[in-house]
Amino acid sequence: MKKSALFFLCLSLAAALCGQKRALTFEDLFTVSRLSSPAVSPDGRWLAFAVRTPDIEANTFHSELYAVDLQGRTLTKLTDGKGNSSAPAFLPSGMLTFVSSRDGDPQVCALDPARPADIRALTAVPGGVGGFVWAADGKRLAFARDIDPRAGTFAEALALEKAAAAEKATGKLLTGLMFRVWDSWRDGKRSHVFLHAPGGEEYEDLTPGDFDTPPLDLGGAQDFAFSADGAWFAYVRNTDPVVATSTNNDVFLRSLRDGGEKNVSADNRGADANPVFSPRGRYLAYLSMRRPGFEADKKDIILYDLRSGARRNLTAAFANTIASFEFAADERAIYFVASEGVYEPVFKLTLASGKVEKIVPAVNASALRLVPGGRELVFLAQNVALPHELFKVDLRSRRLTQLTRFNHERLKDVEMNRAETFRFAGAKGEPVEGFLVKPPFFDPAAKYPLVFLVHGGPQSAWTDDFHYRWNHSLFAAPGYVVAAINFHGSPGYGQPFTDSISGDWGGAPFVDLVKGQQYLVENFPFIDAGRIVAAGASYGGFMINWMAGHMDEFKYPFRCLVSHDGIFDSRSMYYSTEELWFEEWEHGGVPWQSALYEKWNPANFVEKFKVPMLVVHSERDYRVPVCQGLMLFTALQRRGVESRMLYFPDENHFVQKPQNARLWWRTVFSWFAEHVK
């Protein structure tokens, strides 16, 4: 019997002895319904939201809309399965609008929650719409769409698209950066926002020019918005001549009365995004990073007074970066989510005093929405054993109520353990936090192999979440202890800690991982020191490659490694990626001037590679281009190191298609099982 089959046989026997509980499987993970985009009805009775569910065999995803009452008692399916439905938004009348592909191109549709069977299309925009928001009058909306910026009118843009589609030649003439972003070629197009009255044929370009709105990167949850009084339209764009080297997104304010506009963040060269108008129309608030060229600077909430033009930073004294925020109904407070260790709690900021208080601690929250009346707040929350569900908090009593249990039936028989945090002295003697997840049916007297995970970013963090790509519970399911360390560079521990990785990619973060591995083995006796494997993606893949050339630093050996979409050669990475600002900030300039590209270059240590490695990379990854994985695999093969490469021709920086994701997990688990015996 193969070792991997023996693993799962043992788990099945354990499940039989534990009340029919069983370990999480890939099918469990990938058939979980993924909740998003909550919207509260104007009368405060209903919460509509989108549910995205994969179909593994069909290799697709399908999205529907549901609604739950604010007491969490009644769940109603609103859409009928035709096409995909997303982005719910209520009108003042109580009608629910959303984007649907039921008739082909995505259009804005509407339904009455009391009679959801009657769905009608509101728009018929050629080519469809992207994101949209309603103007205050509920009669006009703004939507985003890619167009050729040479067009003077929407009709001219359509004519240029038709001419381009008829062209037989496939060559692309590049005239500047950025010519591709993430996983798509731009082909000379820009994203613009158009004002449109459904039923009419006029389209007013609210963001003309050779620029993108929303911006190509570093944007917020919503980067264009109308004020409640109908007087203003806010949007975000980057007007620097070379966007590939710039993070200078700015917030612009356009008068809907006379068309005049101004850049309200013109004096800040860092990234500004996510404009939000206050409910009564006095303020505009947005998220702002101070330092130009740095995509992971602390995000602060900037408050702009629409009457006086005065601005102030509301969170300058707050230690951590802000993820998202929502105004209180009376404009006297702002509720926000921010990083804090392995959590993203909910906070309240009182505008008059600047006082910040935590109102929902030890939670991983997102998508805050205020219930009309201002007494309750709803949000999505998750942890390593719970996919996203909707919760409500009473802002007076702080009583927390779970509104949905969408995945309860699917996961009720699955054994998953919660994350357990630990701390140790890392680089510079500073405290470093991590967490571990024990395998299902854990026996403290037994010895378990360790999966040592390295996060990407690099300025991101492992959090207590139900990750759909790197899921800690699924890594633990075959009988592994899973450890995740938030090394120097991770947010949630103050901005200086986040800053410390820049220019030091193989320095303090690597020391943290070396010390963290030793701490884990010597403080958790159920970890088998002779059976340790490691895996990481993006910067985590870089670190796996760096570790491969510096294995002598670790006290306990690794049996095998997995490098997913990792940087192998730092110099060629600069010349092939699309986001040049990132490389220039992290490595202190351009390669012909900064020595850091070679100092922290895994390719310079190939002669020390000896630990078996699985390489994973995808063709449509333009962030860390596929050449990095191909070069790494070539180096391993020529060095005679046991190695394999899993290549995806149709994925980007992430592996998302259900069948590809299943192959990814099968390949990784097989690789681990072969080496931990």
Side-chain angles (χ1 to χ4, degrees), residues 375-389:
R375 296 183 178 182
E376 296 172 316
L377 195 68
V378 296
F379 56 89
L380 289 164
Q382 59 175 326
N383 60 53
V384 296
L386 178 74
H388 269 134
E389 296 287 358

Side-chain angles (χ1 to χ4, degrees), residues 359 375-377 392-401:
I359 61 173
R375 296 183 178 182
E376 296 172 316
L377 195 68
K392 174 183 70 174
V393 61
D394 186 297
L395 295 172
R396 294 182 178 179
S397 68
R398 307 291 167 87
R399 180 173 177 267
L400 193 63
T401 303

Side-chain angles (χ1 to χ4, degrees), residues 173-423:
L173 181 64
L174 309 181
T175 60
L177 306 175
M178 307 167 67
F179 51 84
R180 61 182 188 177
V181 179
W182 188 248
D183 62 358
S184 301
W185 288 79
R186 296 299 295 158
D187 293 333
K189 288 191 173 183
R190 296 287 196 178
S191 178
H192 282 194
V193 178
F194 292 88
L195 183 65
H196 174 62
E201 297 182 357
E202 295 184 3
Y203 300 90
E204 179 186 355
D205 191 345
L206 294 175
T207 60
D210 195 11
F211 312 105
D212 285 287
T213 295
L216 297 178
D217 214 335
L218 304 181
Q222 180 65 55
D223 281 325
F224 53 95
F226 290 102
S227 63
D229 60 5
W232 300 100
F233 176 73
Y235 66 92
V236 179
R237 68 166 31 162
N238 186 330
T239 59
D240 281 3
V242 183
V243 178
T245 61
S246 167
T247 64
N248 188 28
N249 292 349
D250 281 314
V251 175
F252 289 79
L253 195 59
R254 177 187 176 107
S255 171
L256 294 175
R257 295 187 176 118
D258 59 22
E261 66 179 33
K262 56 184 173 181
N263 183 345
V264 301
S265 61
D267 59 347
N268 180 49
R269 300 289 297 170
D272 303 293
N274 206 75
V276 176
F277 287 99
S278 62
R280 299 179 181 178
R282 179 173 180 181
Y283 301 113
L284 172 71
Y286 57 92
L287 295 176
S288 179
M289 289 188 262
R290 180 176 57 83
R291 286 172 285 183
F294 186 25
E295 67 169 42
D297 202 3
K298 177 174 176 266
K299 290 180 184 178
D300 283 312
I301 301 174
I302 306 299
L303 189 71
Y304 178 81
D305 192 314
L306 291 165
R307 299 174 189 170
S308 67
R311 283 178 305 171
R312 60 185 171 118
N313 186 337
L314 299 178
T315 54
F318 187 76
N320 291 314
T321 193
I322 312 300
S324 60
F325 67 94
E326 181 91 346
F327 273 99
D330 60 7
E331 298 187 343
R332 295 179 180 178
I334 285 178
Y335 300 98
F336 67 87
V337 171
S339 302
E340 186 180 73
V342 302
Y343 302 113
E344 290 201 335
V346 181
F347 298 84
K348 177 184 178 181
L349 167 68
T350 302
L351 298 188
S353 65
K355 177 184 176 183
V356 174
E357 54 186 318
K358 195 184 306 180
I359 61 173
V360 187
V363 67
N364 197 311
S366 61
L368 299 181
R369 301 290 186 268
L370 192 69
V371 176
R375 296 183 178 182
E376 296 172 316
L377 195 68
V378 296
F379 56 89
L380 289 164
Q382 59 175 326
N383 60 53
V384 296
L386 178 74
H388 269 134
E389 296 287 358
L390 284 159
F391 289 77
K392 174 183 70 174
V393 61
D394 186 297
L395 295 172
R396 294 182 178 179
S397 68
R398 307 291 167 87
R399 180 173 177 267
L400 193 63
T401 303
Q402 184 171 345
L403 298 176
T404 61
R405 289 172 173 79
F406 215 91
N407 292 293
H408 174 74
E409 285 299 312
R410 182 172 285 113
L411 299 176
K412 67 180 181 180
D413 297 325
V414 176
E415 177 81 4
M416 291 184 282
N417 290 311
R418 291 298 309 273
E420 301 177 30
T421 59
F422 58 87
R423 283 181 174 254

